[in-house]
Amino acid sequence: MLIRLDPASGVALFDQLAGNIRASIVSGRVRPGERLPAARELAASLDVNVHTVLRAYQELRDEGLIELRRGRGAVVAHDPRDYSELTAAIDAVVAQARAHEVPPAALAALIREAYQ
Amino acid sequence: MTETTADVTARASSTRSRAITVGAIVPIVVTALAAVITASWIPELPSPVAVHWAGDTPDGYGNVWLFILMPLVICTLFALFVVAMSSRPTESGLLTANQKFVLVTSPWMAGLLSVGLGGTLWVQRGLDDAAEASGGAIWMLWGLLAGFAMAIPAWFLLPPSDRAVVTGEPPAAMDFAPTELVSWSRSAKVGRGARAVIASVFVMQFVLAFVLAANGEPAWTVLLVVVAVLLVLVAATFYWRVTVDRRGLTVRSALSWPKTTIPADEITDVAVVDVQPVAEFGGWGWRWGADGRTGVVLRTGEGIQVTRANGKRFVVTVDDASTGAAVLAGVRSGG
C-alpha cells in the first residue's frame, strides 16, 4: 500500500491519508483481511503525528472499509462489498473530465456538489 | 566470448544429469549394494544383533533388517529431496554453492551409513550372542571417512558453482516532491513450501516425543522443550512487515523482533530480484546465502534487493516488490 501526502496541498493530512488508503482498498490493491500497519508504526514511517493516523483510521472504520481491533491494529474489512461498478464509474467520470479539461479540484468540487 | 542459448541449454542438461548421478544414482546404488552384502551375512550373524554401542560394548539390540535396510531407505528419501531441489539450474546452466553442498550431502550420508552401520554388523559375524561383540564403535569413524571419500570427488564431478552476482532488474525511480510524505508497506508471511516443511518437522517431533514417552524414556520432556523453543522461533519469523519510507527499508517481524532498517543514504543500489529460497539461501527465514547475501526469505518469487555502501547485499521477498523498489529508488535519489 503506497501512501503519498502533500503537506502543501491545503487538504488536511488525515483526509489525504484516508483518501490514499480508501483508494487502495476500493481498487483492490489491498485485499480484504490484509493487515494495515499499526497507527504508531505508520505515523513514524510518514513522520506525522499518531493522532493524524488514528483519525484517518477512525474515518475509514466509520465507512466500514476497515476494522479496528484492540491489540491487533487495523485490518481491511472482510465484508465482501463489491466496488467494481463504482471503480468503473469513477474511471469513466475521470476520462470525461480529462476530455473536457476539467482539473481534479474542479471535478472533486462537482462531485461534492452533487452529493448535497 | 558470446554464448548461445544452445550452449546454456546443453550445459544445463549436463548439470542436471550430473546432479542426478551425484545426488541419487550413486547413493542409491551404494546403499543397495551395502544392503545386499550385509544381508548375505545373515546366516553368520547373531539374532538379535547389537544396534547401539556404549563405547566399545553393545548396550542395545534389535532386528538385523533394521541395519540392512535403514541406509537404503534414508538415502533414497534424501535423494528424492536433493534431486527436486537441484532440478532447476541457474540462468547460466550451473548450480549455486548451496545446491552443490546439499547434493554432496547425499553421497556423504550413503558412505557414512553403509560403512558405519555395515561395519558394526561385520564385527558380529560368527558370534552366538551379540553381547560378546566388540570393536563396533570405530566403524562410525570409518563411516565418516567413507562419507568424505565419496563427497569430495562428488563435489568436483559437479560443475563449478555459479558465482554470478544476482543483479536483478533496476526499478524506475518514483518522483517525489521534496516536501512530500511517503510510505509504502506490505505484510508478508512464510510461503507454502516452508509451511509444509515446518509442519512436518513438528509432526515428527511430536511422534518422536510420543514414542519416547510410551517407552518410558524421560528424554521426551527434553524434546517438548525443543518443540517449545522452535515454536517461539517460528512465531517470531512467520509474519513480517516490509516498509519503505524516507528512512529507508525496514523489515520487521510482527513480534517486533527480529527487525532491521537499512538507512536510505547507505543504499547504493536497489533492484527487483527473483528469489529461489532453497537453491540460493538453503531454506526460509532470516538467511545467509553462500554468495554473501543476507535475506528475509519467506517464499519463492519476487523480492527487493538493496546493496549497501559497504558492498553488502540484503534481500527481502515481498509482493508488489516493483512498487516498493521504485519508492526506495525515489527516496534515495533525494526526491
Side-chain angles (χ1 to χ4, degrees):
Chain A
M1 183 178 65
L2 177 59
I3 293 165
R4 303 177 66 166
L5 310 179
D6 180 5
S9 77
V11 179
L13 284 178
F14 82 88
D15 225 357
Q16 293 186 45
L17 178 53
N20 269 251
I21 300 172
R22 188 184 297 116
S24 288
I25 296 173
V26 169
S27 68
R29 283 194 297 272
V30 291
R31 284 179 292 273
E34 192 164 322
R35 221 173 272 213
L36 300 184
R40 207 148 40 93
E41 230 181 295
L42 184 54
S45 175
L46 285 164
D47 195 19
V48 298
N49 193 294
V50 69
H51 295 290
T52 307
V53 178
L54 285 172
R55 194 156 165 202
Y57 276 6
Q58 275 153 13
E59 197 170 290
L60 294 168
R61 182 198 53 196
D62 294 345
E63 292 169 27
L65 287 173
I66 66 172
E67 290 160 21
L68 291 180
R69 293 174 202 163
R70 191 171 289 275
R72 283 203 52 208
V75 178
V76 178
H78 281 93
D79 184 1
R81 214 180 288 181
D82 183 9
Y83 292 101
S84 56
E85 278 180 34
L86 179 60
T87 321
I90 289 170
D91 287 346
V93 168
V94 170
Q96 282 290 317
R98 282 222 172 95
H100 294 94
E101 289 174 5
V102 177
L107 176 60
L110 284 172
I111 291 174
R112 209 170 296 132
E113 196 95 332
Y115 244 105
Q116 282 148 8
Chain B
M1 190 184 83
T2 53
E3 232 179 18
T4 63
T5 327
D7 290 341
V8 175
T9 315
R11 193 187 303 140
S13 82
S14 140
T15 295
R16 225 172 277 126
S17 53
R18 290 196 224 182
I20 292 172
T21 308
V22 163
I25 297 177
V26 169
I28 291 174
V29 166
V30 165
T31 49
L33 267 176
V36 170
I37 294 171
T38 47
S40 75
W41 298 337
I42 289 181
E44 303 171 63
L45 290 172
S47 178
V49 292
V51 294
H52 194 270
W53 300 72
D56 223 16
T57 46
D59 69 346
Y61 305 90
N63 189 293
V64 66
W65 286 101
L66 189 70
F67 269 23
I68 293 174
L69 293 178
M70 196 155 66
L72 180 60
V73 171
I74 291 178
C75 287
T76 305
L77 292 177
F78 192 70
L80 293 177
F81 166 72
V82 300
V83 167
M85 184 220 73
S86 52
S87 62
R88 233 190 80 178
T90 60
E91 264 172 42
S92 43
L94 299 170
L95 294 167
T96 64
N98 270 310
Q99 283 173 311
K100 284 185 70 175
F101 187 79
V102 177
L103 274 171
V104 302
T105 306
S106 197
W108 178 81
M109 212 156 71
L112 170 73
L113 294 178
S114 302
V115 173
L117 300 187
T120 62
L121 292 181
W122 168 263
V123 300
Q124 297 178 57
R125 286 172 320 129
L127 298 178
D128 290 327
D129 185 352
E132 300 160 16
S134 69
I138 191 72
W139 281 94
M140 273 339 260
L141 182 67
W142 298 138
L144 271 177
L145 291 177
F148 286 111
M150 292 192 60
I152 292 167
W155 179 275
F156 291 103
L157 181 68
L158 292 171
S161 44
D162 194 343
R163 300 199 182 280
V165 171
V166 179
T167 46
E169 293 288 318
M174 236 178 242
D175 273 327
F176 297 113
T179 54
E180 202 170 354
L181 306 174
V182 187
S183 172
W184 176 88
S185 77
R186 293 290 298 214
S187 52
K189 74 170 179 197
V190 160
R192 210 175 294 140
R195 289 207 296 271
V197 171
I198 293 168
S200 54
V201 166
F202 277 109
V203 167
M204 261 160 26
Q205 297 280 345
F206 275 117
V207 168
L208 195 57
F210 182 78
V211 169
L212 288 177
N215 284 315
E217 295 255 12
W220 72 277
T221 49
V222 179
L223 209 56
L224 282 191
V225 172
V226 172
V227 168
V229 172
L230 280 177
L231 267 178
V232 171
L233 286 178
V234 167
T237 55
F238 205 91
Y239 292 102
W240 297 80
R241 178 162 291 281
V242 182
T243 308
V244 173
D245 53 36
R246 292 204 180 270
R247 298 173 298 181
L249 171 68
T250 304
V251 179
R252 179 173 174 273
S253 151
L255 297 185
S256 300
W257 179 92
K259 169 190 164 166
T260 187
T261 298
I262 298 169
D265 54 11
E266 275 186 28
I267 296 173
T268 56
D269 187 57
V270 182
V272 177
V273 290
D274 183 55
V275 180
Q276 299 294 327
V278 178
E280 292 172 351
F281 290 90
W284 301 269
W286 193 296
R287 311 295 302 190
W288 287 263
D291 60 354
R293 291 188 293 172
T294 327
V296 173
V297 179
L298 306 172
R299 54 147 178 75
T300 304
E302 58 176 346
I304 302 174
Q305 172 169 297
V306 295
T307 309
R308 304 172 78 139
N310 59 15
K312 286 188 177 159
R313 288 171 300 151
F314 176 85
V315 184
V316 58
T317 59
V318 64
D319 294 347
D320 197 18
S322 56
T323 305
V327 174
L328 192 53
V331 298
R332 203 180 64 79
S333 60

